[in-house]
mmCIF file of all heavy atoms in Angstrom:
data_model
loop_
_atom_site.group_PDB
_atom_site.id
_atom_site.type_symbol
_atom_site.label_atom_id
_atom_site.label_comp_id
_atom_site.label_asym_id
_atom_site.label_seq_id
_atom_site.Cartn_x
_atom_site.Cartn_y
_atom_site.Cartn_z
ATOM 1 N N GLU A 21 94.473 155.644 47.421
ATOM 2 C CA GLU A 21 95.523 155.472 48.404
ATOM 3 C C GLU A 21 96.590 156.570 48.330
ATOM 4 O O GLU A 21 97.433 156.697 49.219
ATOM 5 C CB GLU A 21 96.187 154.096 48.224
ATOM 6 C CG GLU A 21 97.119 153.970 47.028
ATOM 7 C CD GLU A 21 96.387 153.774 45.693
ATOM 8 O OE1 GLU A 21 95.126 153.788 45.703
ATOM 9 O OE2 GLU A 21 97.058 153.592 44.662
ATOM 10 N N LYS A 22 96.553 157.386 47.265
ATOM 11 C CA LYS A 22 97.535 158.469 47.091
ATOM 12 C C LYS A 22 96.880 159.811 47.372
ATOM 13 O O LYS A 22 95.691 160.007 47.082
ATOM 14 C CB LYS A 22 98.107 158.464 45.663
ATOM 15 C CG LYS A 22 98.916 157.235 45.307
ATOM 16 C CD LYS A 22 99.432 157.324 43.892
ATOM 17 C CE LYS A 22 100.260 156.102 43.506
ATOM 18 N NZ LYS A 22 101.570 156.103 44.185
ATOM 19 N N ASP A 23 97.664 160.735 47.868
ATOM 20 C CA ASP A 23 97.170 162.099 48.105
ATOM 21 C C ASP A 23 97.403 162.885 46.805
ATOM 22 O O ASP A 23 98.524 163.330 46.526
ATOM 23 C CB ASP A 23 97.920 162.760 49.267
ATOM 24 C CG ASP A 23 97.482 164.212 49.490
ATOM 25 O OD1 ASP A 23 96.448 164.619 48.856
ATOM 26 O OD2 ASP A 23 98.133 164.911 50.251
ATOM 27 N N LEU A 24 96.344 163.044 46.014
ATOM 28 C CA LEU A 24 96.462 163.736 44.736
ATOM 29 C C LEU A 24 95.847 165.130 44.759
ATOM 30 O O LEU A 24 95.622 165.717 43.702
ATOM 31 C CB LEU A 24 95.829 162.888 43.630
ATOM 32 C CG LEU A 24 96.467 161.507 43.396
ATOM 33 C CD1 LEU A 24 95.752 160.775 42.257
ATOM 34 C CD2 LEU A 24 97.946 161.647 43.106
ATOM 35 N N GLN A 25 95.591 165.637 45.942
ATOM 36 C CA GLN A 25 95.057 167.014 46.042
ATOM 37 C C GLN A 25 96.234 167.995 45.979
ATOM 38 O O GLN A 25 96.518 168.719 46.917
ATOM 39 C CB GLN A 25 94.274 167.155 47.347
ATOM 40 C CG GLN A 25 93.086 166.221 47.490
ATOM 41 C CD GLN A 25 92.006 166.505 46.427
ATOM 42 O OE1 GLN A 25 91.829 167.641 45.976
ATOM 43 N NE2 GLN A 25 91.304 165.456 46.010
ATOM 44 N N THR A 26 96.898 167.974 44.848
ATOM 45 C CA THR A 26 98.091 168.803 44.667
ATOM 46 C C THR A 26 97.939 169.688 43.421
ATOM 47 O O THR A 26 97.197 169.351 42.492
ATOM 48 C CB THR A 26 99.356 167.934 44.502
ATOM 49 O OG1 THR A 26 99.216 167.139 43.299
ATOM 50 C CG2 THR A 26 99.570 167.020 45.689
ATOM 51 N N TYR A 27 98.705 170.755 43.393
ATOM 52 C CA TYR A 27 98.709 171.629 42.226
ATOM 53 C C TYR A 27 99.254 170.889 41.006
ATOM 54 O O TYR A 27 98.758 171.047 39.906
ATOM 55 C CB TYR A 27 99.592 172.871 42.511
ATOM 56 C CG TYR A 27 99.909 173.691 41.306
ATOM 57 C CD1 TYR A 27 98.915 174.409 40.647
ATOM 58 C CD2 TYR A 27 101.197 173.747 40.800
ATOM 59 C CE1 TYR A 27 99.202 175.162 39.530
ATOM 60 C CE2 TYR A 27 101.503 174.489 39.658
ATOM 61 C CZ TYR A 27 100.485 175.208 39.046
ATOM 62 O OH TYR A 27 100.795 175.932 37.927
ATOM 63 N N GLY A 28 100.268 170.037 41.234
ATOM 64 C CA GLY A 28 100.865 169.318 40.124
ATOM 65 C C GLY A 28 99.882 168.386 39.459
ATOM 66 O O GLY A 28 99.816 168.319 38.221
ATOM 67 N N PHE A 29 99.051 167.671 40.253
ATOM 68 C CA PHE A 29 98.105 166.752 39.644
ATOM 69 C C PHE A 29 96.969 167.493 38.961
ATOM 70 O O PHE A 29 96.523 167.105 37.875
ATOM 71 C CB PHE A 29 97.546 165.783 40.699
ATOM 72 C CG PHE A 29 96.755 164.677 40.088
ATOM 73 C CD1 PHE A 29 97.371 163.665 39.387
ATOM 74 C CD2 PHE A 29 95.348 164.664 40.195
ATOM 75 C CE1 PHE A 29 96.624 162.636 38.809
ATOM 76 C CE2 PHE A 29 94.617 163.640 39.606
ATOM 77 C CZ PHE A 29 95.268 162.634 38.919
ATOM 78 N N LEU A 30 96.520 168.579 39.561
ATOM 79 C CA LEU A 30 95.484 169.395 38.920
ATOM 80 C C LEU A 30 95.981 169.948 37.607
ATOM 81 O O LEU A 30 95.252 170.014 36.595
ATOM 82 C CB LEU A 30 95.044 170.548 39.824
ATOM 83 C CG LEU A 30 94.059 171.553 39.233
ATOM 84 C CD1 LEU A 30 92.709 170.871 38.934
ATOM 85 C CD2 LEU A 30 93.837 172.714 40.181
ATOM 86 N N GLY A 31 97.261 170.324 37.568
ATOM 87 C CA GLY A 31 97.813 170.990 36.377
ATOM 88 C C GLY A 31 98.364 170.032 35.319
ATOM 89 O O GLY A 31 98.796 170.513 34.257
ATOM 90 N N TYR A 32 98.299 168.708 35.576
ATOM 91 C CA TYR A 32 98.948 167.824 34.621
ATOM 92 C C TYR A 32 98.356 167.907 33.216
ATOM 93 O O TYR A 32 99.080 167.770 32.220
ATOM 94 C CB TYR A 32 99.021 166.365 35.132
ATOM 95 C CG TYR A 32 97.813 165.521 34.774
ATOM 96 C CD1 TYR A 32 97.758 164.811 33.569
ATOM 97 C CD2 TYR A 32 96.746 165.405 35.646
ATOM 98 C CE1 TYR A 32 96.651 164.037 33.264
ATOM 99 C CE2 TYR A 32 95.630 164.635 35.326
ATOM 100 C CZ TYR A 32 95.608 163.940 34.122
ATOM 101 O OH TYR A 32 94.512 163.178 33.811
ATOM 102 N N PRO A 33 97.025 168.162 33.030
ATOM 103 C CA PRO A 33 96.538 168.292 31.654
ATOM 104 C C PRO A 33 97.146 169.492 30.924
ATOM 105 O O PRO A 33 97.355 169.466 29.709
ATOM 106 C CB PRO A 33 95.016 168.482 31.840
ATOM 107 C CG PRO A 33 94.717 167.901 33.174
ATOM 108 C CD PRO A 33 95.916 168.223 34.011
ATOM 109 N N LEU A 34 97.493 170.545 31.668
ATOM 110 C CA LEU A 34 98.115 171.714 31.061
ATOM 111 C C LEU A 34 99.591 171.415 30.715
ATOM 112 O O LEU A 34 100.099 171.881 29.686
ATOM 113 C CB LEU A 34 98.019 172.938 31.956
ATOM 114 C CG LEU A 34 98.427 174.264 31.312
ATOM 115 C CD1 LEU A 34 97.568 174.562 30.076
ATOM 116 C CD2 LEU A 34 98.349 175.399 32.323
ATOM 117 N N LEU A 35 100.271 170.663 31.584
ATOM 118 C CA LEU A 35 101.633 170.243 31.245
ATOM 119 C C LEU A 35 101.593 169.361 30.010
ATOM 120 O O LEU A 35 102.461 169.457 29.134
ATOM 121 C CB LEU A 35 102.261 169.478 32.431
ATOM 122 C CG LEU A 35 103.657 168.930 32.206
ATOM 123 C CD1 LEU A 35 104.646 170.039 31.817
ATOM 124 C CD2 LEU A 35 104.149 168.184 33.454
ATOM 125 N N GLN A 36 100.591 168.508 29.922
ATOM 126 C CA GLN A 36 100.412 167.663 28.743
ATOM 127 C C GLN A 36 100.199 168.535 27.482
ATOM 128 O O GLN A 36 100.752 168.237 26.419
ATOM 129 C CB GLN A 36 99.231 166.729 28.945
ATOM 130 C CG GLN A 36 99.165 165.555 28.003
ATOM 131 C CD GLN A 36 98.081 164.580 28.432
ATOM 132 O OE1 GLN A 36 96.925 164.942 28.575
ATOM 133 N NE2 GLN A 36 98.458 163.320 28.621
ATOM 134 N N ALA A 37 99.431 169.605 27.634
ATOM 135 C CA ALA A 37 99.207 170.534 26.521
ATOM 136 C C ALA A 37 100.527 171.198 26.122
ATOM 137 O O ALA A 37 100.826 171.325 24.917
ATOM 138 C CB ALA A 37 98.180 171.588 26.914
ATOM 139 N N ALA A 38 101.312 171.610 27.112
ATOM 140 C CA ALA A 38 102.610 172.215 26.815
ATOM 141 C C ALA A 38 103.534 171.243 26.073
ATOM 142 O O ALA A 38 104.242 171.631 25.152
ATOM 143 C CB ALA A 38 103.280 172.701 28.109
ATOM 144 N N ASP A 39 103.513 169.963 26.487
ATOM 145 C CA ASP A 39 104.318 168.936 25.814
ATOM 146 C C ASP A 39 103.990 168.886 24.314
ATOM 147 O O ASP A 39 104.890 168.745 23.484
ATOM 148 C CB ASP A 39 104.045 167.546 26.386
ATOM 149 C CG ASP A 39 104.407 167.434 27.854
ATOM 150 O OD1 ASP A 39 105.308 168.142 28.313
ATOM 151 O OD2 ASP A 39 103.772 166.594 28.553
ATOM 152 N N ILE A 40 102.720 168.981 23.993
ATOM 153 C CA ILE A 40 102.286 168.868 22.604
ATOM 154 C C ILE A 40 102.588 170.168 21.837
ATOM 155 O O ILE A 40 103.158 170.153 20.740
ATOM 156 C CB ILE A 40 100.768 168.569 22.548
ATOM 157 C CG1 ILE A 40 100.457 167.223 23.203
ATOM 158 C CG2 ILE A 40 100.268 168.595 21.114
ATOM 159 C CD1 ILE A 40 98.994 166.996 23.496
ATOM 160 N N LEU A 41 102.226 171.296 22.449
ATOM 161 C CA LEU A 41 102.272 172.573 21.747
ATOM 162 C C LEU A 41 103.708 173.034 21.510
ATOM 163 O O LEU A 41 103.975 173.732 20.522
ATOM 164 C CB LEU A 41 101.494 173.639 22.534
ATOM 165 C CG LEU A 41 100.006 173.359 22.685
ATOM 166 C CD1 LEU A 41 99.363 174.415 23.593
ATOM 167 C CD2 LEU A 41 99.323 173.363 21.323
ATOM 168 N N ILE A 42 104.625 172.657 22.377
ATOM 169 C CA ILE A 42 105.992 173.150 22.218
ATOM 170 C C ILE A 42 106.685 172.569 20.966
ATOM 171 O O ILE A 42 107.606 173.157 20.431
ATOM 172 C CB ILE A 42 106.825 172.879 23.503
ATOM 173 C CG1 ILE A 42 108.025 173.844 23.529
ATOM 174 C CG2 ILE A 42 107.281 171.427 23.576
ATOM 175 C CD1 ILE A 42 108.625 174.027 24.877
ATOM 176 N N TYR A 43 106.165 171.435 20.490
ATOM 177 C CA TYR A 43 106.693 170.856 19.252
ATOM 178 C C TYR A 43 105.805 171.149 18.053
ATOM 179 O O TYR A 43 106.038 170.657 16.947
ATOM 180 C CB TYR A 43 106.911 169.345 19.420
ATOM 181 C CG TYR A 43 107.909 169.080 20.494
ATOM 182 C CD1 TYR A 43 107.517 168.658 21.764
ATOM 183 C CD2 TYR A 43 109.263 169.305 20.283
ATOM 184 C CE1 TYR A 43 108.453 168.481 22.793
ATOM 185 C CE2 TYR A 43 110.208 169.154 21.297
ATOM 186 C CZ TYR A 43 109.781 168.733 22.531
ATOM 187 O OH TYR A 43 110.692 168.594 23.554
ATOM 188 N N ARG A 44 104.741 171.944 18.285
ATOM 189 C CA ARG A 44 103.777 172.281 17.244
ATOM 190 C C ARG A 44 103.354 171.004 16.540
ATOM 191 O O ARG A 44 103.250 170.937 15.295
ATOM 192 C CB ARG A 44 104.404 173.304 16.261
ATOM 193 C CG ARG A 44 104.557 174.676 16.917
ATOM 194 C CD ARG A 44 105.453 175.591 16.142
ATOM 195 N NE ARG A 44 105.266 176.986 16.571
ATOM 196 C CZ ARG A 44 106.194 177.930 16.418
ATOM 197 N NH1 ARG A 44 107.344 177.654 15.869
ATOM 198 N NH2 ARG A 44 105.942 179.172 16.823
ATOM 199 N N ALA A 45 103.083 169.989 17.363
ATOM 200 C CA ALA A 45 102.686 168.668 16.821
ATOM 201 C C ALA A 45 101.275 168.776 16.249
ATOM 202 O O ALA A 45 100.376 169.323 16.879
ATOM 203 C CB ALA A 45 102.736 167.626 17.921
ATOM 204 N N LEU A 46 101.082 168.228 15.062
ATOM 205 C CA LEU A 46 99.786 168.254 14.432
ATOM 206 C C LEU A 46 98.949 167.054 14.845
ATOM 207 O O LEU A 46 97.743 167.129 14.913
ATOM 208 C CB LEU A 46 99.943 168.259 12.898
ATOM 209 C CG LEU A 46 98.650 168.428 12.093
ATOM 210 C CD1 LEU A 46 97.914 169.709 12.479
ATOM 211 C CD2 LEU A 46 98.951 168.391 10.609
ATOM 212 N N TYR A 47 99.613 165.926 15.143
ATOM 213 C CA TYR A 47 98.890 164.715 15.480
ATOM 214 C C TYR A 47 99.332 164.161 16.847
ATOM 215 O O TYR A 47 100.532 164.127 17.153
ATOM 216 C CB TYR A 47 99.123 163.640 14.425
ATOM 217 C CG TYR A 47 98.678 164.044 13.037
ATOM 218 C CD1 TYR A 47 99.591 164.132 11.999
ATOM 219 C CD2 TYR A 47 97.334 164.334 12.777
ATOM 220 C CE1 TYR A 47 99.188 164.488 10.708
ATOM 221 C CE2 TYR A 47 96.926 164.702 11.525
ATOM 222 C CZ TYR A 47 97.844 164.781 10.487
ATOM 223 O OH TYR A 47 97.440 165.170 9.233
ATOM 224 N N VAL A 48 98.334 163.700 17.600
ATOM 225 C CA VAL A 48 98.610 163.073 18.906
ATOM 226 C C VAL A 48 97.849 161.757 18.933
ATOM 227 O O VAL A 48 96.624 161.730 18.989
ATOM 228 C CB VAL A 48 98.144 163.964 20.072
ATOM 229 C CG1 VAL A 48 98.526 163.323 21.401
ATOM 230 C CG2 VAL A 48 98.749 165.363 19.948
ATOM 231 N N PRO A 49 98.566 160.616 18.851
ATOM 232 C CA PRO A 49 97.875 159.313 18.896
ATOM 233 C C PRO A 49 97.325 159.001 20.281
ATOM 234 O O PRO A 49 98.060 158.980 21.250
ATOM 235 C CB PRO A 49 98.976 158.329 18.494
ATOM 236 C CG PRO A 49 100.266 159.006 18.830
ATOM 237 C CD PRO A 49 100.024 160.482 18.682
ATOM 238 N N VAL A 50 96.010 158.824 20.346
ATOM 239 C CA VAL A 50 95.366 158.588 21.650
ATOM 240 C C VAL A 50 94.206 157.601 21.461
ATOM 241 O O VAL A 50 93.678 157.417 20.368
ATOM 242 C CB VAL A 50 94.795 159.882 22.255
ATOM 243 C CG1 VAL A 50 95.901 160.838 22.673
ATOM 244 C CG2 VAL A 50 93.834 160.573 21.293
ATOM 245 N N GLY A 51 93.815 157.023 22.562
ATOM 246 C CA GLY A 51 92.570 156.259 22.600
ATOM 247 C C GLY A 51 91.423 157.209 22.888
ATOM 248 O O GLY A 51 91.619 158.396 23.189
ATOM 249 N N GLU A 52 90.198 156.725 22.803
ATOM 250 C CA GLU A 52 89.024 157.588 22.971
ATOM 251 C C GLU A 52 89.014 158.290 24.322
ATOM 252 O O GLU A 52 88.544 159.412 24.448
ATOM 253 C CB GLU A 52 87.738 156.765 22.790
ATOM 254 C CG GLU A 52 87.469 156.398 21.317
ATOM 255 C CD GLU A 52 86.122 155.758 21.144
ATOM 256 O OE1 GLU A 52 85.323 155.774 22.087
ATOM 257 O OE2 GLU A 52 85.851 155.260 20.042
ATOM 258 N N ASP A 53 89.514 157.629 25.366
ATOM 259 C CA ASP A 53 89.472 158.201 26.704
ATOM 260 C C ASP A 53 90.404 159.419 26.844
ATOM 261 O O ASP A 53 90.242 160.208 27.779
ATOM 262 C CB ASP A 53 89.837 157.166 27.770
ATOM 263 C CG ASP A 53 91.247 156.604 27.567
ATOM 264 O OD1 ASP A 53 91.687 156.502 26.398
ATOM 265 O OD2 ASP A 53 91.899 156.249 28.567
ATOM 266 N N GLN A 54 91.352 159.563 25.902
ATOM 267 C CA GLN A 54 92.304 160.691 25.964
ATOM 268 C C GLN A 54 91.937 161.853 25.051
ATOM 269 O O GLN A 54 92.604 162.883 25.073
ATOM 270 C CB GLN A 54 93.705 160.200 25.628
ATOM 271 C CG GLN A 54 94.327 159.287 26.677
ATOM 272 C CD GLN A 54 94.671 160.038 27.947
ATOM 273 O OE1 GLN A 54 95.312 161.067 27.919
ATOM 274 N NE2 GLN A 54 94.228 159.521 29.093
#
């Protein structure tokens, strides 16, 4: 029902990577799907 054909949605995994890398985090708690 949402229009997700956007640059922001395509790029969200990279924004997620930036969130992690900018703190030089060693551990990221996730479930298997993540």
Side-chain angles (χ1 to χ4, degrees):
E21 74 281 3
K22 295 180 180 287
D23 178 10
L24 298 181
Q25 299 296 329
T26 63
Y27 168 69
F29 189 72
L30 175 65
Y32 89 87
L34 189 59
L35 178 57
Q36 197 171 55
D39 297 333
I40 298 166
L41 297 175
I42 202 160
Y43 298 103
R44 289 166 164 157
L46 185 58
Y47 300 118
V48 184
V50 292
E52 287 188 9
D53 60 328
Q54 290 290 310

